[in-house]
Amino acid sequence: MTLYDKIMTLYPSLTQEDFLTVIRLQNDSDGKGDYIAKWEHPTLARPTDEELA
Amino acid sequence: MSSVVISGDSSGTVTLTVPSAAGTNTATLPAATGTVMVSGNMPAFSAYASTPQTVSNSTATKVLFQTEEFDTNNNYSSSRFTPTVAGYYQVNAVVFISQTTQADTTVWVYKNGSAYKRGFGLTATSTKQQMTMNCLVYCNGSTDYIEIYVYSDGTGSATVDANITTTWFQSCLVRTA
């Protein structure tokens, strides 16, 4: 399950527009995997590491 | 009467060479102050993806362009361009991506690790998309660097195509600082 899939499981109301504007998932192709580069959603809290584990 | 003044702070020589062929040639200097651009201070490179790359959905992913075609100033490494001459750079990139399901795709220029300019994105009408990116970027000649990222939304997986003609990244200096 990708990071995106995990976030969508936590917050199924998120839209593709959210991921282009207030949220940015990023992968720098450095072997460290996907991560949350930006989380500026006005109402949903940034998921914790435990929630994404 | 106009004059030409050549001065410098360090020792050495400046040589102006004229063509060996007979004839009259005129080089007109503009009424402007700036740095003369010669091939030695105009970095340029071209690279392409030679290995397919998997991209997670809805995740901005740095595109890897593993193979250099040329790199005149040795400023390109690990899919990152860090020019050592300050100035304005023309950046061009094309990324071809294949998806398991139709999805919207976008290509980005990243500067110093952050999104800088968004390129031509395509809406999902096919599982194969080719996106282009062209922009000018100022680089300070020391710490600034440029990379290419791709974004594909949707629920399926995506693969960046590895091909010299379909997935490539180029840049060159067009104006010094």
Side-chain angles (χ1 to χ4, degrees):
Chain A
M1 184 179 285
T2 65
L3 175 61
Y4 168 81
D5 293 332
K6 293 177 182 177
I7 291 174
M8 288 303 296
T9 300
L10 287 171
Y11 298 128
S13 64
L14 287 174
T15 66
Q16 281 301 320
E17 186 64 21
D18 291 325
F19 286 94
L20 286 172
T21 53
V22 295
I23 299 169
R24 176 165 297 129
L25 305 184
Q26 191 162 307
N27 185 317
D28 300 325
S29 300
D30 56 0
K32 298 179 181 177
D34 304 340
Y35 65 96
I36 299 174
K38 179 176 77 172
W39 189 280
E40 298 175 355
H41 196 280
T43 58
L44 298 176
R46 179 183 178 133
T48 64
D49 293 340
E50 290 71 27
E51 290 175 314
L52 296 175
Chain B
M1 174 181 290
S2 300
S3 60
V4 175
V5 177
I6 299 177
S7 63
D9 294 330
S10 59
S11 63
T13 60
V14 174
T15 301
L16 300 177
T17 304
V18 299
S20 57
T24 300
N25 299 283
T26 301
T28 303
L29 296 177
T33 299
T35 301
V36 174
M37 296 170 62
V38 297
S39 60
N41 71 339
M42 297 181 64
F45 87 93
S46 179
Y48 65 92
S50 51
T51 302
Q53 179 183 359
T54 299
V55 176
S56 298
N57 51 349
S58 300
T59 303
T61 301
K62 176 180 168 178
V63 181
L64 300 177
F65 305 89
Q66 300 90 348
T67 303
E68 287 184 8
E69 294 178 275
F70 56 85
D71 181 12
T72 64
N73 217 38
N74 292 316
N75 287 161
Y76 179 80
S77 177
S78 301
S79 301
R80 172 183 294 183
F81 180 54
T82 310
T84 52
V85 176
Y88 300 85
Y89 286 80
Q90 175 67 43
V91 178
N92 309 306
V94 170
V95 178
F96 187 98
I97 195 165
S98 300
Q99 300 136 326
T100 54
T101 59
Q102 292 183 358
D104 295 346
T105 54
T106 309
V107 62
W108 295 79
V109 162
Y110 269 49
K111 179 180 176 181
N112 301 338
S114 297
Y116 178 73
K117 296 291 184 185
R118 181 175 172 179
F120 183 67
L122 294 170
T123 56
T125 59
S126 168
T127 56
K128 297 185 184 299
Q129 314 267 16
Q130 187 165 29
M131 300 158 288
T132 61
M133 177 66 198
N134 310 97
C135 69
L136 287 172
V137 182
Y138 174 79
C139 291
N140 60 15
S142 56
T143 57
D144 287 342
Y145 62 90
I146 302 168
E147 298 165 311
I148 302 298
Y149 279 66
V150 68
Y151 179 96
S152 175
D153 68 16
T155 58
S157 64
T159 302
V160 172
D161 185 50
N163 189 295
I164 190 173
T165 63
T166 61
T167 302
W168 47 266
F169 177 26
Q170 300 177 328
S171 184
C172 70
L173 178 69
V174 295
R175 184 192 187 279
T176 54

